[in-house]
């Protein structure tokens, strides 16, 4: 009957699901050997301080190039890596590589922090604190220059463990940012239970600025809330000068996005900042100067 086929056939054997499962399996199998085959790399994207125009922090973003799959975006492989636990060695590789590269930064990046995205699975590892400490020791990076980016899913559980790990790492100088803020399911009230230093407003709220007044209201509310909790605010995904001006007026501390600098390899950061950021930040000061 159709009811039976609905239960036994369609859920298991729909062709598109098989494709999806196959794709996941291919990604998974190739991901297992990605580190040893040297297929992973990091690019970095600065956050620009709106008062000084300086890069305060550069975020490390994973890139994976595989001979069979080509370039695979993190949105395609991070969920698989998290589900299978492969995120543990990959996350450790990303943390170590990011700290090592940041330690070599010079010029206007010499004091910039490096921000590393950390999955909840990683933070729940028993030895995560020790891992971070030993990577800082090994690379010589000052803990004050390391920022870890977490997502809202972590806040929902409100268990003691992540909070203890955060307290311990903060006591040695590591800071924490809440990534993609506004898109998760957590109540804003959960935020006060976690020792965050920064909120990163998701680019979903930036994309349609300045046309969508509702988005400007949301950004404004998020900035005010962050202020009252004593948190620093970065707006993500800034692509136009108009967005930049609105975000400045709404009181964001830093901006990050293609307008300021695309994610690039570590050795190209200074060159790209000089080429891309300067016109954007200079344009910003013009209307203020007229007023
Ligand atoms: P995310 O941490 O929120 O990073 C921001 C994403 O937005 C990056 O995508 C970045 O390339 C992109 N982006 C930056 N500026 C702009 C802009 O102006 N416009 C638009 N449209 N996009 C912009 P990417 O590199 O593809 O990374 C996607 C997500 O994958 C990241 O989101 C992060 O959640 C995850 N990810 C990346 N690297 C790592 C990692 O090392 N560990 C973990 N756990 N997750 C990672
Ligand atoms: Mg991030
Ligand atoms: Mg983000
Ligand atoms: Mg994001």
């Amino acid at each position: 009957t159709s009811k039976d086929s609905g239960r036994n056939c369609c859920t298991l054997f729909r062709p598109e699901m098989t494709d999806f499962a196959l794709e996941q399996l291919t990604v998974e199998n190739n991901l297992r050997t990605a580190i040893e085959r040297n297929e992973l790399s990091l690019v970095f994207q600065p956050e620009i301080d709106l008062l000084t125009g300086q890069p305060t922090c550069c975020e490390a973003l994973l890139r994976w190039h595989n001979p069979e799959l080509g370039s695979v975006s993190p949105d395609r492989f991070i969920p698989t890596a998290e589900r299978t636990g492969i995120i543990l060695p990959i996350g450790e590789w990303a943390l170590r590589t990011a700290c090592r590269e940041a330690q070599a930064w010079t010029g206007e990046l010499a004091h910039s922090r490096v921000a590393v995205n950390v999955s909840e699975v990683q933070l729940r590892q028993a030895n995560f604190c020790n891992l971070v400490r030993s990577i800082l020791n090994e690379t010589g990076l000052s803990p004050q220059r390391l920022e870890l980016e977490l997502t809202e899913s972590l806040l929902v559980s409100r268990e003691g463990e992540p909070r203890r790990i955060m307290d311990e790492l903060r006591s040695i100088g590591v800071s924490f940012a809440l990534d993609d803020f506004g898109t998760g399911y957590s109540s804003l009230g959960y935020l006060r239970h976690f020792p965050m230093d920064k909120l990163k407003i998701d680019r979903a709220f930036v994309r349609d600025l300045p046309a969508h007044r509702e988005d400007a209201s949301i950004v404004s509310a998020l900035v005010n809330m962050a202020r009252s909790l004593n948190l620093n605010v970065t707006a993500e995904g800034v692509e136009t000068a108009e967005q930049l001006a609105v975000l400045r007026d709404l009181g964001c501390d830093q901006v990050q996005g293609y307008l300021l600098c695309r994610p690039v390899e570590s050795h190209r950061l200074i060159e790209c900042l000089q080429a891309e950021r300067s016109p954007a930040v200079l344009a910003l000061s013009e209307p203020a100067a007229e007023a």
Side-chain angles (χ1 to χ4, degrees):
T1 69
S2 68
K3 198 180 168 195
D4 284 342
S5 67
R7 190 186 298 138
N8 299 326
C9 177
C10 297
T11 49
L12 288 173
F13 299 117
R14 263 184 3 228
E16 66 271 23
M17 282 192 73
T18 306
D19 284 353
F20 179 74
L22 259 179
E23 130 108 20
Q24 294 295 296
L25 205 61
T26 315
V27 165
E28 182 180 334
N29 286 335
N30 282 289
L31 204 51
R32 289 192 190 281
T33 53
I35 298 179
E36 62 201 55
R37 293 187 188 174
N38 249 321
E39 294 170 2
L40 296 178
S41 61
L42 291 179
V43 287
F44 294 85
Q45 186 180 34
E47 290 177 26
I48 303 299
D49 184 295
L50 279 172
L51 288 179
T52 65
Q54 292 296 302
T56 52
C57 180
C58 298
E59 178 177 8
L61 295 162
L62 266 170
R63 293 294 176 261
W64 179 28
H65 188 87
N66 175 268
E68 183 184 344
L69 298 166
S71 288
V72 190
S73 114
D75 290 327
R76 244 177 94 200
F77 71 83
I78 295 285
T80 302
E82 289 175 337
R83 187 175 45 78
T84 56
I86 310 175
I87 193 67
L88 295 181
I90 288 181
E92 178 177 340
W93 180 90
L95 188 61
R96 178 173 288 111
T97 307
C99 290
R100 190 163 55 222
E101 300 209 6
Q103 172 65 358
W105 289 343
T106 57
E108 65 172 326
L109 291 177
H111 301 288
S112 163
R113 283 190 306 280
V114 62
V116 182
N117 292 285
V118 173
S119 295
E120 187 171 347
V121 196
Q122 289 175 270
L123 202 75
R124 292 190 184 281
Q125 259 181 299
N127 63 349
F128 186 72
C129 278
N130 290 336
L131 179 69
V132 173
R133 282 174 187 274
S134 74
I135 287 176
L136 287 169
N137 270 329
E138 176 192 318
T139 58
L141 188 79
S142 154
Q144 280 75 23
R145 292 187 58 206
L146 178 62
E147 183 167 295
L148 301 178
E149 292 194 5
L150 310 177
T151 53
E152 271 177 276
S153 63
L154 195 81
L155 273 56
V156 179
S157 63
R158 274 210 286 180
E159 285 166 28
E161 192 63 10
R163 199 197 146 133
R164 272 223 321 283
I165 293 173
M166 291 174 72
D167 283 336
E168 182 176 341
L169 288 172
R170 277 177 109 235
S171 76
I172 63 166
V174 174
S175 54
F176 286 88
L178 188 57
D179 204 357
D180 305 335
F181 191 66
T183 58
Y185 307 97
S186 65
S187 133
L188 295 182
Y190 289 174
L191 203 54
R192 70 194 156 87
H193 299 291
F194 288 83
M196 289 292 168
D197 300 278
K198 179 194 281 182
L199 291 187
K200 295 186 77 173
I201 297 179
D202 194 78
R203 72 165 183 266
F205 304 111
V206 171
R207 189 180 49 223
D208 300 320
L209 294 177
H212 285 204
R213 303 297 301 269
E214 302 81 4
D215 289 337
S217 304
I218 291 170
V219 171
S220 172
L222 295 179
V223 170
N224 289 331
M225 187 200 58
R227 285 279 164 276
S228 65
L229 293 171
N230 227 338
L231 300 170
N232 189 282
V233 185
T234 293
E236 299 187 302
V238 181
E239 296 181 357
T240 70
E242 291 73 24
Q243 292 168 344
L244 180 62
V246 174
L247 293 164
R248 188 259 328 256
D249 292 344
L250 291 175
C252 292
D253 300 296
Q254 295 94 215
V255 282
Q256 184 183 33
Y258 297 157
L259 179 72
L260 292 312
C261 190
R262 287 160 299 127
V264 292
E265 293 158 290
S266 191
H267 69 272
R268 294 192 52 216
L269 267 172
I270 289 187
E271 160 206 339
C272 287
L273 269 171
Q274 273 158 10
E276 296 165 29
R277 164 202 51 182
S278 304
V281 175
L282 283 178
L284 184 64
S285 62
E286 276 159 20
E290 282 165 21

